[in-house]
Amino acid sequence: GQTAKAMQVFQALGGIAPFSAQVMSGHALAYYRDSQWEECSKMLRTCVQINKADWGSHALLGDVLCRMGLLPQAISSLARVAAFKPEFPGLLKNLGRARLMLAQVDFERLKSEEATQKLDIAAGRSRLSPQQVEEKNRTELKALNLHLQRAYGELTRAVSQEPRDTEAAFLLAFCTFFLEGNRSQKTAGVVRLLDKVLESDSNHLSARLIKAMCLHRSGQLVAALEQYN
């Protein structure tokens, strides 16, 4: 009810001062609270056109674009804020999360493409030789790894800035597991981060699952099985 009233107020103000950045920003926040991402993104794009140094609107636009699944655009918007206002609240966590999500999407796409490529080569339908396919996959894996490396750096800084932010801790743990989970020294660090998350929320199933896999990789089979209880 309050969101609808706020939207009515900002619509009325928009008729009086349609190009006021403050009005547009308020209108965008009302749409954000109502999960109307498309309308919210339109308002925020207008805000940053009016004032290119409106870092709050840039940051919120990045968040909205991420929720819409427009990950490259989200990263671009958030990275623009990071270049000028790296201390902006929640920025590094959101930027790291967007890069991590993009890496996951790319990873799933690469797995699907690799399976299709193998079938095409076996059936003689592929335009590329096996060597060309391997080189293409190697290049794309390097790009994926770069997303992960950048996400790792941003999330490490986010956890350093806000040690009590368990969401940032979980994202860093997941990123580290994805990136370097097979290294025993990294596995111990992932488990420490996940323990921090589980202290806050013992029912965090994703944290328990990743912790179990880390413990299993390090040979702690009994402790790994306990995570499923």
Side-chain angles (χ1 to χ4, degrees):
Q2 294 299 318
T3 298
K5 288 180 181 178
M7 291 175 73
Q8 290 175 1
V9 170
F10 285 114
Q11 284 171 351
L13 289 172
I16 300 169
F19 300 110
S20 165
Q22 286 185 326
V23 170
M24 292 289 182
S25 180
H27 208 158
L29 284 171
Y31 280 127
Y32 184 90
R33 294 192 185 98
D34 209 38
S35 301
Q36 295 190 43
W37 310 127
E38 186 69 37
E39 294 302 322
C40 184
S41 69
K42 289 177 183 177
M43 288 293 165
L44 290 169
R45 288 182 194 277
T46 301
C47 287
V48 299
Q49 285 175 356
I50 295 171
N51 180 7
K52 297 187 185 301
D54 183 352
W55 308 121
S57 291
H58 276 295
L60 189 59
L61 178 59
D63 181 7
V64 171
L65 292 171
C66 192
R67 292 172 186 272
M68 294 171 68
L70 301 173
L71 298 173
Q73 294 180 40
I75 291 168
S76 177
S77 187
L78 292 167
R80 190 173 294 115
V81 185
F84 294 93
K85 289 282 184 179
E87 74 282 2
F88 200 91
L91 172 68
L92 292 171
K93 177 176 71 176
N94 289 338
L95 182 53
R97 174 171 44 211
R99 291 197 200 277
L100 187 54
M101 289 173 66
L102 183 59
Q104 287 179 274
V105 170
D106 284 350
F107 181 70
E108 293 301 323
R109 176 181 56 79
L110 285 173
K111 283 201 304 182
S112 177
E113 287 179 357
E114 185 178 9
T116 301
Q117 287 162 355
K118 287 179 179 179
L119 290 173
D120 287 345
I121 289 172
R125 296 191 301 263
S126 177
R127 297 178 181 178
L128 302 175
S129 69
Q131 293 78 13
Q132 288 173 319
V133 169
E134 186 177 344
E135 180 60 31
K136 175 178 176 292
N137 289 343
R138 189 181 299 115
T139 300
E140 294 199 4
L141 280 171
K142 284 182 180 178
L144 186 153
N145 190 63
L146 181 60
H147 287 314
L148 288 172
Q149 292 284 0
R150 288 177 174 172
Y152 177 81
E154 287 150 359
L155 292 169
T156 298
R157 290 163 61 197
V159 170
S160 177
Q161 287 179 359
E162 294 291 340
R164 296 182 181 178
D165 189 335
T166 55
E167 183 184 15
F170 173 74
L171 290 169
L172 178 57
F174 183 75
C175 183
T176 309
F177 177 78
F178 201 157
L179 190 63
E180 302 181 287
N182 286 321
R183 300 187 184 182
S184 58
Q185 67 271 31
K186 292 292 184 179
T187 299
V190 171
V191 170
R192 284 194 295 272
L193 286 166
L194 293 172
D195 282 341
K196 180 190 295 187
V197 176
L198 291 168
E199 282 177 13
S200 175
D201 179 8
S202 61
N203 294 317
H204 196 302
L205 296 181
S206 295
R208 287 205 172 277
L209 177 60
I210 296 174
K211 182 178 178 181
M213 288 190 284
C214 286
L215 293 169
H216 183 269
R217 286 180 179 181
S218 61
Q220 302 177 62
L221 302 183
V222 174
L225 288 171
E226 288 175 351
Q227 300 306 309
Y228 296 102
N229 295 331

